[in-house]
Amino acid sequence: MREIIKFNDNWHFWKNVSDINIQEGGENVSLPHTWNAIDGQDGGNDYFRGTCLYKKVFCSKDLPKADKYYLEINGANSSADVYCNGKRLAHHDGGYSTWRVNITGYMRTENVISILVDNVANEEVYPQVADFTFYGGLYRDVNIICVNETHFDLDYYGSRGFIVTPEIVGEQATIKMETYVNNMVSGDVIAYRIYDADANLVSEKQAAENICSINIENVHLWNGAIDPYLYTAQAIIIRNGKEMDKVSSRFGCRTFRIDSENGFILNGKEYPLRGVSRHQDRWQIGNALLPEHHKEDMDLICEVGANTIRLAHYQHDQYFYDLCDERGMIIWAEIPYISRHMNSGNENTISQMRELIVQNYNHPSICVWGLSNEITMDGAKDPDLIANHHRLNDFVHEMDKTRLTTVACISMCDMAEEYVHISDVVSYNHYFGWYGGSLDEYGSWFDKFHEKYPNKPIGCSEYGCEALNWHNSNPESGDYSEEYQAIYHEALIKQLFTRKYIWATHVWNMFDFGADARAEGGENGQNHKGLITIDRKYKKDAFYAYKAWLSKEPFVHLCGKRYVDRVEKVTKVTVYSNLPEVELFANGTSLGKKTAVDHFFYFDVPNSGETELVAVAGECKDESHIRKVDKMNPDYILREQGAVLNWFDIVEIEGRFSLNDKLGDILKTFRGKLWFAGLFVTLAKKMSAGNPQSKDKQKKKKKAKNPEMNSGVMNMIGNFTVLRFTGMLGMRNVTFTKEELLKINKKLNRIRKPQNLGN
């Protein structure tokens, strides 16, 4: 019988080393491990991307006796080569899936496993351009699997070699079980068994074939977060009454469809999908998570009341998919085909999608496979991009006839583009009210899409804005305050959750996450759109806005706990609760009771001296305090840290433009348009110079495609100041020096502002 041996301890690690024969230096590490836990989150877009070496010595006698030994790697980002005793045995491209290497014929009495892991920029393996850090390392478990000569296939794309497909008709389910087996001999049979959630045997069959169907009468459905009931399927190879190998997999019996008018339908009933997206990294841990980290994430997602998760932008840990099954989450699973299409990366999209599907096919939580994310960032007309999506979409349907495909479109992608209509359903990443536009545009945009394409299910795959520990009584877009984020999500909840045709909504993001290229908001190296901080220690006010709409657990939350010092004589205080009535007390005096059908309660509070606030809803209570001050606390005002140039360092001339002005205003002038044309040429050159090349083609540099500056793009960036716009280009590997920015500012100082803009 198979045995799985943890292989995480006593590795030796060398950074920036590709010679497997090295003996000196290095450090002792345990897995999971990443070499970017610190530099991948501190800003500057300078985290180490290269080749590193992991080595481990072990004795064959310390392993259980077996016919075959496989090294199982559950995550090596992003490419890796495996050596056993100096012999190169395997290469793998794709940093987020499981893969295995048969080391049997290469083992000696004492053995050395060497693994070269490489997250260098190249043109063949996704992802290469995206708004998150590509942490390198052996960041998930590594195991040794010991099996008999006859065993369930360990070479089948990192899967269990066991596929379970339920088909539900009325009260009965037919469970088709398909196995992939190596070296069965005449007389061998496979015992197929199904157990219920209490480990009671429900049904069993024996067959010599690798496909078997078993019926379950009065089937207990997997019903999402309402009742996530799981069965267990088991397959055992039996020879002369002896078990040779055994695999098992939990599964759920459910039906679903996505309707263009009524949204997501689970087991024949409307089941609105309202949830979040999740990145897997953590503060100073990177992507090298332990099981307790995954569980804490799931607990927090359940606390907010979400019933769906978009697992962005890659395959996540198997343990987290298991948690999704157990908690009844509806999952969007996707590959890291993101931001920039690479003609030379098409085969990698297929291989990563194949591994994603075969390794996760049995999870009832997964309902849609994501083909790509914001891949039309440089335009949607590329014939190769379109052809690859058709191929990928067809491939998914061949691999899995039980689920649907989807894509996440960048906001600027016109809804009429062919790309938008390749997948079965579609969602859009919109940031109106943050990256240009206004907060009230969401509802009208989705209504327009629904009216134009009434038979195409439409969802919202990303929306959000950044918030740090900055505060403002008059919050506005771009101030990175916790108050603006709360206002933003209040508006979005009311627009998105009340349109039943929207098949799913996914907040971007549940947690702040590492994005080393980012330099904004006063804390470089992170995307701060999370409802919770990257260390999971602080739930921002917007978290509770969603909890008020989605959670059934009674609660009340006083917003603004970090916003103590306030200058106004009467200040606005917001309370969130899923209970119908809230009463607010100031220093023990009631300020009245309020009801709110939208779960958002607003109070005007006299601000004098020190005020203790207590919000009461039913049996629930929450407390905070405020303090009257004469001047705004400078600790609440956004200060950029480590920025190349701050707004207050910029020369401003009355009646002239500067880096502190919005692009949209500059482009209203003729000279401003000429200036921007020149800036765009500079930008295109920088993008071309920064285009990552494959290691084998460093001397044959290809120009990057210039970004497509259509009306959607211009509408998005028009609300940015020039300084903010240039700072955000770090996400596309484009940076400006202080000298370059000051030169741009001098050019802008020569352009007069129109009179109607004021000074």
Side-chain angles (χ1 to χ4, degrees):
M1 292 292 291
R2 75 171 56 193
E3 293 189 56
I4 301 176
I5 310 300
K6 287 285 188 185
F7 213 56
N8 288 341
D9 296 332
N10 301 317
W11 287 85
H12 213 63
F13 171 75
W14 287 266
K15 186 176 180 180
N16 199 20
V17 167
S18 57
D19 178 9
I20 67 167
N21 296 310
I22 191 170
Q23 299 294 329
E24 303 300 324
E27 61 178 307
N28 292 318
V29 300
S30 294
L31 308 183
H33 176 265
T34 176
W35 60 75
N36 297 126
I38 305 300
D39 68 355
Q41 301 175 344
D42 61 359
N45 200 27
D46 56 357
Y47 67 101
F48 178 75
R49 295 183 68 179
T51 302
C52 296
L53 172 64
Y54 294 85
K55 291 176 72 171
K56 180 179 172 74
V57 177
F58 71 99
C59 294
S60 296
K61 65 180 179 61
D62 294 332
L63 296 177
K65 187 176 180 179
D67 297 326
K68 299 282 185 181
Y69 298 93
Y70 280 80
L71 183 73
E72 180 181 70
I73 299 168
N74 287 285
N77 200 31
S78 57
S79 297
D81 294 275
V82 170
Y83 298 78
C84 182
N85 297 321
K87 175 69 174 178
R88 183 175 181 268
L89 301 185
H91 175 83
H92 184 265
D93 289 326
Y96 304 98
S97 57
T98 295
W99 51 291
R100 304 188 184 103
V101 183
N102 186 345
I103 62 173
T104 310
Y106 306 92
M107 292 170 56
R108 305 168 186 162
T109 302
E110 186 171 275
N111 306 281
V112 179
I113 293 291
S114 304
I115 306 177
L116 291 174
V117 186
D118 179 2
N119 68 339
V120 74
N122 66 76
E123 290 287 295
E124 286 82 32
V125 183
Y126 285 97
Q128 292 304 324
V129 177
D131 184 21
F132 61 95
T133 297
F134 310 142
Y135 300 95
L138 290 175
Y139 68 97
R140 292 183 186 150
D141 288 342
V142 171
N143 301 313
I144 294 285
I145 304 179
C146 316
V147 292
N148 292 319
E149 186 75 26
T150 300
H151 60 273
F152 292 101
D153 195 353
L154 290 167
D155 293 307
Y156 187 59
Y157 305 110
S159 74
R160 302 170 191 258
F162 186 28
I163 292 177
V164 182
T165 307
E167 182 180 351
I168 295 91
V169 179
E171 301 296 319
Q172 177 178 289
T174 299
I175 313 303
K176 178 183 175 183
M177 291 181 279
E178 183 174 3
T179 58
Y180 296 82
V181 183
N182 285 345
N183 302 312
M184 278 187 71
V185 301
S186 178
D188 288 354
V189 295
I190 301 175
Y192 297 94
R193 298 170 183 169
I194 294 178
Y195 297 87
D196 65 16
D198 296 318
N200 299 310
L201 182 64
V202 173
S203 187
E204 65 178 330
K205 280 186 181 180
Q206 283 195 4
E209 295 79 24
N210 71 324
I211 298 178
C212 177
S213 292
I214 296 180
N215 292 334
I216 301 177
E217 304 294 335
N218 299 314
V219 63
H220 192 148
L221 297 180
W222 185 90
N223 200 29
I226 299 169
D227 183 13
Y229 190 88
L230 293 169
Y231 290 92
T232 298
Q234 189 180 83
I236 308 171
I237 304 171
I238 298 176
R239 178 178 299 162
N240 299 322
K242 180 182 179 181
E243 294 184 357
M244 305 300 293
D245 196 16
K246 177 168 62 178
V247 290
S248 64
S249 177
R250 293 189 302 180
F251 69 96
C253 296
R254 50 99 177 109
T255 65
F256 80 91
R257 62 187 179 90
I258 300 178
D259 186 86
S260 61
E261 287 292 339
N262 299 307
F264 192 83
I265 311 295
L266 179 63
N267 298 324
K269 297 181 180 179
E270 292 181 13
Y271 190 80
L273 296 184
R274 304 293 176 247
V276 298
S277 296
R278 183 223 188 203
H279 264 300
Q280 66 181 354
D281 63 329
R282 286 192 171 221
W283 179 242
Q284 296 188 345
I285 295 173
N287 55 356
L289 302 189
L290 299 173
E292 54 263 36
H293 299 136
H294 293 292
K295 185 177 182 299
E296 183 183 23
D297 280 7
M298 179 58 74
D299 289 343
L300 290 167
I301 292 170
C302 289
E303 181 186 344
V304 84
N307 63 3
T308 179
I309 310 173
R310 180 180 173 212
L311 292 177
H313 288 296
Y314 37 75
Q315 186 169 334
H316 285 233
D317 192 282
Q318 278 298 315
Y319 178 59
F320 197 80
Y321 291 109
D322 290 340
L323 290 173
C324 292
D325 294 340
E326 294 172 7
R327 304 294 183 91
M329 292 292 161
I330 302 296
I331 297 303
W332 167 329
E334 65 189 34
I335 59 172
Y337 187 17
I338 181 171
S339 298
R340 182 172 67 86
H341 173 74
M342 304 183 298
N343 293 21
S344 51
N346 290 345
E347 292 306 316
N348 188 247
T349 66
I350 294 294
S351 65
Q352 290 207 51
M353 182 62 79
R354 179 187 287 110
E355 290 176 332
L356 176 69
I357 292 174
V358 299
Q359 292 173 26
N360 297 283
Y361 182 91
N362 296 346
H363 291 290
S365 54
I366 298 176
C367 289
V368 293
W369 301 114
L371 305 183
S372 63
N373 175 77
E374 296 189 348
I375 200 65
T376 63
M377 190 171 285
D378 292 334
K381 304 296 187 185
D382 184 342
D384 191 73
L385 180 153
I386 298 299
N388 195 53
H389 276 81
H390 278 293
R391 179 191 178 198
L392 196 56
N393 191 60
D394 292 343
F395 176 77
V396 172
H397 289 140
E398 290 170 8
M399 293 284 295
D400 184 357
K401 294 177 172 53
T402 71
R403 294 181 174 92
L404 301 178
T405 59
T406 189
V407 295
C409 298
I410 194 168
S411 187
M412 302 90 73
C413 184
D414 192 281
M415 62 180 69
E417 291 286 358
E418 180 181 353
Y419 163 79
V420 176
H421 301 278
I422 294 173
S423 57
D424 299 318
V425 302
V426 66
S427 284
Y428 261 80
N429 299 350
H430 281 316
Y431 291 95
F432 305 131
W434 185 246
Y435 297 140
S438 60
L439 274 177
D440 59 4
E441 289 185 57
Y442 286 87
S444 58
W445 188 96
F446 282 101
D447 288 344
K448 181 180 178 181
F449 186 102
H450 185 55
E451 180 181 1
K452 189 172 183 179
Y453 303 106
N455 298 318
K456 184 76 172 183
I458 177 69
C460 193
S461 40
E462 290 184 24
Y463 64 98
C465 70
E466 300 204 37
L468 295 92
N469 194 12
W470 312 121
H471 302 285
N472 193 342
S473 292
N474 298 294
E476 59 183 15
S477 178
D479 68 5
Y480 296 85
S481 69
E482 190 173 358
E483 287 71 36
Y484 183 75
Q485 187 192 46
I487 290 172
Y488 175 98
H489 283 289
E490 288 176 19
L492 267 293
I493 287 171
K494 289 187 279 191
Q495 290 179 71
L496 298 180
F497 287 15
T498 55
R499 286 171 164 82
K500 65 184 297 185
Y501 66 80
I502 296 179
W503 74 267
T505 61
H506 294 98
V507 176
W508 192 260
N509 196 284
M510 183 65 187
F511 309 104
D512 292 345
F513 58 90
D516 197 54
R518 279 191 170 253
E520 54 178 320
E523 187 177 17
N524 297 345
Q526 291 182 45
N527 185 313
H528 295 94
K529 293 187 182 71
L531 302 180
I532 300 177
T533 53
I534 191 172
D535 58 9
R536 278 56 169 177
K537 293 186 182 303
Y538 182 77
K539 300 166 187 171
K540 305 174 192 178
D541 287 336
F543 172 94
Y544 296 96
Y546 285 94
K547 185 173 180 177
W549 275 72
L550 300 176
S551 176
K552 293 181 173 57
E553 175 192 358
F555 84 100
V556 65
H557 172 74
L558 258 167
C559 296
K561 287 187 175 66
R562 298 192 293 186
Y563 184 23
V564 176
D565 296 333
R566 308 194 185 196
V567 298
E568 59 270 17
K569 293 181 180 179
V570 177
T571 190
K572 178 181 175 182
V573 172
T574 300
V575 180
Y576 296 144
S577 179
N578 52 6
L579 296 168
E581 185 178 76
V582 169
E583 185 173 12
L584 185 65
F585 294 86
N587 290 333
T589 301
S590 175
L591 299 181
K593 298 179 179 180
K594 293 200 174 185
T595 60
V597 294
D598 62 5
H599 308 290
F600 308 145
F601 305 81
Y602 307 110
F603 293 86
D604 291 326
V605 177
N607 183 23
S608 176
E610 300 273 351
T611 303
E612 298 296 325
L613 298 173
V614 178
V616 178
E619 300 297 317
C620 302
K621 182 186 294 186
D622 195 24
E623 301 178 2
S624 69
H625 75 281
I626 57 175
R627 178 189 305 118
K628 178 68 171 70
V629 294
D630 294 329
K631 294 182 179 180
M632 185 69 171
N633 187 333
D635 290 340
Y636 296 163
I637 302 172
L638 169 64
R639 297 186 307 277
E640 298 287 359
Q641 298 295 323
V644 174
L645 198 67
N646 284 298
W647 66 268
F648 46 78
D649 295 322
I650 297 164
V651 174
E652 292 187 338
I653 300 175
E654 185 175 353
R656 307 292 180 101
F657 286 114
S658 73
L659 289 168
N660 291 329
D661 285 295
K662 293 180 179 179
L663 280 167
D665 291 338
I666 296 170
L667 289 170
K668 291 176 182 177
T669 69
F670 176 73
R671 290 191 65 188
K673 291 176 181 176
L674 291 177
W675 164 81
F676 186 74
L679 178 68
F680 188 61
V681 170
T682 300
L683 171 60
K685 289 179 179 178
K686 282 180 172 286
M687 292 184 69
S688 179
N691 183 27
Q693 303 295 314
S694 70
K695 292 173 288 183
D696 297 331
K697 299 177 181 178
Q698 289 286 353
K699 296 182 180 180
K700 299 179 180 179
K701 293 189 176 181
K702 299 182 293 183
K703 288 186 178 181
K705 294 178 182 177
N706 294 339
E708 187 178 274
M709 301 302 287
N710 56 35
S711 59
V713 176
M714 297 310 300
N715 181 58
M716 184 184 78
I717 68 174
N719 203 39
F720 295 173
T721 66
V722 180
L723 186 62
R724 186 181 179 200
F725 174 66
T726 55
M728 292 185 65
L729 288 171
M731 291 178 280
R732 297 300 304 275
N733 297 318
V734 174
T735 58
F736 288 84
T737 65
K738 180 175 182 178
E739 290 72 24
E740 287 175 322
L741 289 172
L742 291 175
K743 187 175 180 180
I744 291 172
N745 192 65
K746 282 186 177 181
K747 291 181 179 179
L748 289 170
N749 286 163
R750 300 188 188 111
I751 304 173
R752 293 183 181 275
K753 293 182 179 180
Q755 289 186 352
N756 58 358
L757 285 181
N759 292 333

